[in-house]
Amino acid sequence: MRIVAKTDTGLVRSMNQDAYAAGELPVGAAWAVVCDGMGGASGGDVASSLAVKTISEHITSGYRDGMGAKSVRNMLDCAISAANITIYDMSRSNESLRGMGTTVVAVIVAGGTAYISHAGDSRAYMLSEGGELRQLTRDHSMVQELLECGKLTPEEARTHPRKNVITRALGVADSIDADFSEEKMEPGDVLLICTDGLSNYISNDDIVEVTKSHNYYEFADELIKKANSNGGGDNITVVAVTY
């Protein structure tokens, strides 16, 4: 398992409200968490950092070799719920942080399977060794709902003025409903986790081209460079796990 990760403020924002963590687990497993904060001058930064810290601690202390899918899901659910209530309680007790929240994508890769929990519009993709790219997560956003019910075309969705309005986030209510999925990984597959600062500024074809033309340790750097060359209008975070 090979992991590479990087975050960048981008070319427009003055503060980076993204946060991430990633690492190895026993017997060749790996984990990663990516969050994109929102809310006020400092709220987004606080929310994403708190979420990453809380979820990371739950994963690294709770993971055991040989855990089944149900156990992994329960662990991720508990980790995300704990992060949610921590952010929610802090926002209610500190007026300057009121309304803060964050997206989340939390993944564990073990035994040839990627286990993914997410809320918000940060994404996970799978790139096969043959060059096929699939989006594994569904955006929890207003625009995604309009797209699915046929009120927007894909072209309209990409430039819609309310593209960044999300319908789920950690910390905005006292409970959170995170989606969970499992995806098989073959040798050479790349699990890519990112914030919308990447997905809004780089096409799927660009992702495939960059990852197929560079070594694994260059993936994060080169994808961020590409997003910045296309405007860099948001914070950009990338974690790539090559199986």
Side-chain angles (χ1 to χ4, degrees):
M1 205 86 68
R2 294 162 292 180
I3 307 168
V4 63
K6 186 174 182 179
T7 189
D8 188 85
T9 304
L11 304 180
V12 174
R13 302 291 176 89
S14 60
M15 175 186 293
N16 192 344
Q17 295 190 328
D18 288 358
Y20 77 89
E24 296 181 351
L25 293 164
V27 196
W31 64 277
V33 183
V34 168
C35 293
D36 181 356
M38 61 185 191
S42 60
D45 177 56
V46 172
S48 61
S49 296
L50 269 177
V52 166
K53 180 178 184 293
T54 304
I55 295 167
S56 299
E57 289 173 351
H58 273 72
I59 291 174
T60 55
S61 64
Y63 180 81
R64 299 289 183 273
D65 180 37
M67 291 177 75
K70 184 176 180 179
S71 295
V72 172
R73 179 174 188 170
N74 287 340
M75 182 180 65
L76 290 175
D77 282 347
C78 288
I80 288 173
S81 293
N84 180 75
I85 200 64
T86 298
I87 298 165
Y88 179 72
D89 286 347
M90 182 175 288
S91 72
R92 288 175 62 83
S93 64
N94 187 330
E95 184 64 33
S96 68
L97 300 176
R98 189 66 55 89
M100 71 177 178
T102 183
T103 69
V104 64
V105 182
V107 305
I108 291 175
V109 180
T113 301
Y115 303 95
I116 305 159
S117 288
H118 89 286
D121 62 355
S122 295
R123 294 179 177 179
Y125 295 89
M126 188 76 76
L127 178 69
S128 71
E129 190 173 26
E132 179 191 3
L133 183 73
R134 293 182 295 123
Q135 183 178 332
L136 306 180
T137 52
R138 172 188 175 274
D139 291 352
H140 300 135
S141 69
M142 181 181 297
V143 164
Q144 181 66 29
E145 292 178 0
L146 293 172
L147 183 63
E148 289 173 358
C149 68
K151 294 183 178 179
L152 289 177
T153 66
E155 293 73 22
E156 291 169 335
R158 278 193 287 270
T159 58
H160 195 278
R162 305 197 72 183
K163 182 175 177 61
N164 294 326
V165 177
I166 59 176
T167 55
R168 292 191 215 175
L170 272 64
V172 299
D174 60 4
S175 64
I176 182 69
D177 180 20
D179 287 351
F180 177 82
S181 62
E182 303 173 36
E183 297 288 339
K184 290 295 182 184
M185 293 188 72
E186 301 294 337
D189 286 353
V190 179
L191 179 64
L192 183 72
I193 309 133
C194 66
T195 58
D196 65 348
L198 184 80
S199 56
N200 284 344
Y201 288 88
I202 187 171
S203 69
N204 287 2
D205 287 344
D206 287 335
I207 293 174
V208 173
E209 191 278 327
V210 168
T211 50
K212 298 308 290 183
S213 61
H214 293 85
N215 293 312
Y216 78 90
Y217 53 82
E218 299 175 295
F219 289 169
D221 268 335
E222 294 300 324
L223 288 168
I224 286 173
K225 285 179 186 177
K226 185 67 174 178
N228 277 329
S229 73
N230 290 337
D234 201 351
N235 307 148
I236 313 160
T237 299
V238 179
V239 178
V241 180
T242 304
Y243 188 66

